[in-house]
Amino acid sequence: MTSSSATTVHLAVYDTFADWETGYATAHLTQNGHTVRTVGLSREPVTTMGGLRVQPDLALDELRPQDSALLILTGAAGWDTGDTLAPFARAARTFLDAGVPVAAICGATAGLAREGLLDDRAHTSAVSFYLAATGYAGGERYVEVDAVTDPGADGTGRLITAGPTEPVAFAREVFALLGVYDEKKLDAWYRLFHDSDASAYEVLQGE
């Protein structure tokens, strides 16, 4: 792994991807020394659920786990309406098998379930029956929490999952995994953005 790969995070982008779900994560990663690069099925522009036009930095077939610190997958209509986004779930398998972590939120968790990546890992999503509808075999590993990180095993990468209403908790797990903040500042960051606790701002400013 090169030094640049240690700070490069790849964000999957596709039509109708839920742009708000990773806004906290990508904004604060960028402010803390990481580079976020977007990955599409091709290099053709995509349009987010919020109507923003995004030009991918690279195509999926150009993406290599060894060039990345993390692959982030967001929700999108395509996860539940066909197999268009299945290549991203297969890419997630490649990452995890290579020991590189993956973070999935909202509908992307269903894509990972269909790929079999949640059968043996602790995970969460919107609700348990949403994933159960995929026919996956991991129901016993479902956790009723805002976001969860499975530590991986036998050389596989760590996996973060979260439901669609938890972009702040999702970001917290990403920051913890990548060591963006120490424990004290991470707690303060979460209290500030999740609980609107103004006193946490002083901790973040190092006061």
Side-chain angles (χ1 to χ4, degrees), residues 1-42:
M1 182 176 289
T2 64
S3 59
S4 62
S5 67
T7 57
T8 299
V9 171
H10 288 91
L11 171 66
V13 295
Y14 22 75
D15 284 331
T16 77
F17 94 82
D19 34 15
W20 69 89
E21 291 177 346
T22 60
Y24 288 100
T26 55
H28 291 273
L29 285 171
T30 300
Q31 292 172 28
N32 286 277
H34 287 74
T35 298
V36 177
R37 301 196 71 201
T38 52
V39 185
L41 285 170
S42 70

Side-chain angles (χ1 to χ4, degrees), residues 22-158:
T22 60
Y24 288 100
T26 55
H28 291 273
L29 285 171
T30 300
Q31 292 172 28
N32 286 277
H34 287 74
T35 298
V36 177
R37 301 196 71 201
T38 52
V39 185
L41 285 170
S42 70
R43 289 191 178 224
E44 292 299 310
V46 299
T47 303
T48 74
M49 198 173 291
L52 303 179
R53 188 172 182 268
V54 177
Q55 177 78 53
D57 293 313
L58 67 161
L60 187 58
D61 61 8
E62 300 173 87
L63 179 65
R64 303 185 307 165
Q66 60 265 39
D67 297 330
S68 186
L70 175 70
L71 174 63
I72 299 177
L73 304 174
T74 72
W79 289 114
D80 299 314
T81 56
D83 297 326
T84 302
L85 301 184
F88 286 102
R90 293 194 290 271
R93 177 181 292 280
T94 300
F95 266 61
L96 293 172
D97 287 348
V100 181
V102 173
I105 185 170
C106 189
T109 61
L112 298 191
R114 294 186 184 95
E115 182 64 20
L117 295 175
L118 304 185
D119 291 350
D120 301 312
R121 293 177 171 90
H123 61 277
T124 193
S125 185
V127 288
S128 60
F129 57 79
Y130 169 63
L131 292 186
T134 68
Y136 84 132
E140 292 185 356
R141 302 299 304 275
Y142 189 91
V143 186
E144 293 284 357
V145 293
D146 295 341
V148 63
T149 300
D150 181 87
D154 300 324
T156 62
R158 290 168 288 177

